[in-house]
Amino acid sequence: MATDNRPFRFQVLAVERRIPESDRVLTRRLSALRGYFFDQVAYEALLAAGDVVVYEVHELRRPEESGELLSGLSIVYPGLVGEEYFMTMGHFHKARQTAEIYLCLSGRGALVMENEQGDSLVEELTPGRGVYVAPGWAHRSVNLDLSQPLVTFFVYPGHAGHDYATIGEAGFRKLVLRRGGSTVIVDNPRRIECPTGVRT
Ligand code: NI
């Protein structure tokens, strides 16, 4: 990790799907995503066939403090669990009032977002398209292309932190599914609603 306070350069290799200067790669396999996919029977069947990599995050590490920016490459591999596309766990930022930018470099996907006031939003990601995730919105990347990975570059404030538990327990309000050969967005029947900000 570059910790001295000097500018530095890096390369984002979208085709090779890596950042040579990245010094940490987070790999999330199917086994780490138990409970995240809607169809649990399909999940167990797929997992029994092999613990495949669902997504990777290549980080450009910096001190996790205000004033810094954390960035990297997110790669969501193609696949389905039942009708549900491969996706990231999704999270709020611990420091809720912090935003994030996602820029799609290759592939085709969606950014599923929601806030604690009850709003939901799904934005399509195509090469060159960016999404500004406003402060207070949970976000998850979904790969809508079954033939290639979804590759995005992200940047967020150093002090943001990750809160996986809130959205992990409740589930997102919207699911992105492949149904009859096309992509549909449906309400999540397993969504657990909690009073805003109050969790037990
Ligand atoms: Ni984030």
Side-chain angles (χ1 to χ4, degrees):
M1 171 166 60
T3 53
D4 60 339
N5 197 27
R6 301 270 304 165
F8 65 94
R9 65 187 178 202
F10 59 94
Q11 277 187 293
V12 178
L13 305 177
V15 176
E16 295 177 38
R17 301 193 293 272
R18 65 187 190 92
I19 297 175
E21 293 78 8
S22 168
D23 54 359
R24 184 162 63 187
V25 179
L26 176 80
T27 301
R28 295 269 196 222
R29 292 181 178 275
L30 193 59
S31 56
L33 290 161
R34 175 167 274 118
Y36 283 86
F37 290 96
F38 173 70
D39 186 338
Q40 295 175 50
V41 174
Y43 171 86
E44 295 299 341
L46 190 62
L47 183 59
D51 193 9
V52 296
V53 175
V54 177
Y55 66 97
E56 284 172 8
V57 182
H58 298 234
E59 296 174 319
L60 272 174
R61 283 196 293 160
R62 289 292 299 173
E64 295 182 9
E65 55 194 45
S66 176
E68 294 284 349
L69 292 172
L70 302 178
S71 62
L73 211 50
S74 162
I75 300 153
V76 184
Y77 288 96
L80 289 168
V81 176
E83 295 182 311
E84 199 168 14
Y85 291 102
F86 274 17
M87 62 190 185
T88 63
M89 286 177 179
H91 58 265
F92 281 102
H93 291 165
K94 258 184 206 152
R96 287 291 195 271
Q97 289 306 307
T98 51
E100 182 157 354
I101 284 176
Y102 279 82
L103 176 63
C104 180
L105 301 179
S106 70
R108 192 173 67 83
L111 206 58
V112 178
M113 296 168 278
E114 65 178 60
N115 64 19
E116 291 173 306
Q117 287 73 51
D119 304 306
S120 296
L121 198 56
V122 179
E123 284 289 347
E124 192 176 4
L125 291 167
T126 53
R129 183 178 287 182
V131 176
Y132 185 90
V133 181
W137 288 73
H139 40 286
R140 155 183 286 168
S141 314
V142 180
N143 185 354
L144 302 181
D145 190 328
L146 296 177
S147 65
Q148 60 173 326
L150 171 68
V151 183
T152 52
F153 183 76
F154 60 82
V155 190
Y156 62 95
H159 67 294
H162 288 102
D163 167 10
Y164 292 102
T166 301
I167 200 75
E169 290 163 17
F172 277 79
R173 292 188 194 93
K174 299 292 180 185
L175 303 179
V176 185
L177 307 178
R178 183 166 184 85
R179 199 168 269 177
S182 55
T183 297
V184 294
I185 299 167
V186 301
D187 289 333
N188 178 2
R190 276 183 24 220
R191 164 77 178 197
I192 300 164
E193 290 296 345
C194 295
T196 302
V198 178
R199 304 200 59 80
T200 54

